């Protein structure tokens, strides 16, 4: 099984990458903490985008701040992705 880890999976670029990887047969683990909502308010939220991605059985969402280095290292070790795409 091909696995991918995509940071910033709820954003415009990240969600497009997730969709393409799913089309290509990957199971995608998306990392996003919806920082846009914190910076720009409810109007900047990516929750709708994340909710849409969660409709796919090949998408698993991880609410994790990528600045927490060790936790990201632990996720990578657990998932063992074939590729990592950094869109955050």
């Amino acid at each position: 099984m091909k696995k991918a880890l995509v940071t910033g999976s709820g954003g415009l670029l990240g969600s497009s990458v997730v969709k393409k990887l799913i089309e290509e047969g990957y199971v995608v683990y998306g990392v996003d903490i919806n920082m846009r909502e914190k910076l720009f308010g409810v109007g900047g939220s990516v929750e709708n985008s994340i909710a849409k991605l969660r409709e796919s059985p090949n998408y698993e969402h991880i609410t994790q701040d990528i600045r927490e280095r060790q936790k990201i290292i632990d996720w990578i070790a657990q998932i063992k992705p074939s590729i990592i795409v950094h869109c955050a």
Side-chain angles (χ1 to χ4, degrees), residues 16-88:
S16 295
V17 169
V18 168
K19 291 173 191 171
K20 182 63 176 169
L21 288 170
I22 289 172
E23 287 175 11
E24 297 293 324
Y26 282 85
V27 172
V28 180
Y29 296 82
V31 180
D32 203 304
I33 59 167
N34 196 9
M35 184 62 77
R36 287 186 52 83
E37 183 174 39
K38 294 174 185 163
L39 295 172
F40 305 114
V42 176
S45 177
V46 296
E47 281 305 316
N48 287 339
S49 177
I50 292 169
K52 189 76 173 161
L53 293 173
R54 284 183 167 155
E55 292 175 5
S56 171
N58 288 341
Y59 179 78
E60 183 71 34
H61 189 75
I62 301 168
T63 303
Q64 181 64 61
D65 189 331
I66 63 167
R67 295 172 293 182
E68 296 182 41
R69 185 174 188 264
Q70 188 57 53
K71 290 183 180 180
I72 295 299
I73 290 169
D74 293 344
W75 278 112
I76 292 168
Q78 179 181 337
I79 296 166
K80 296 178 178 60
S82 305
I83 62 170
I84 298 172
V85 183
H86 179 51
C87 300

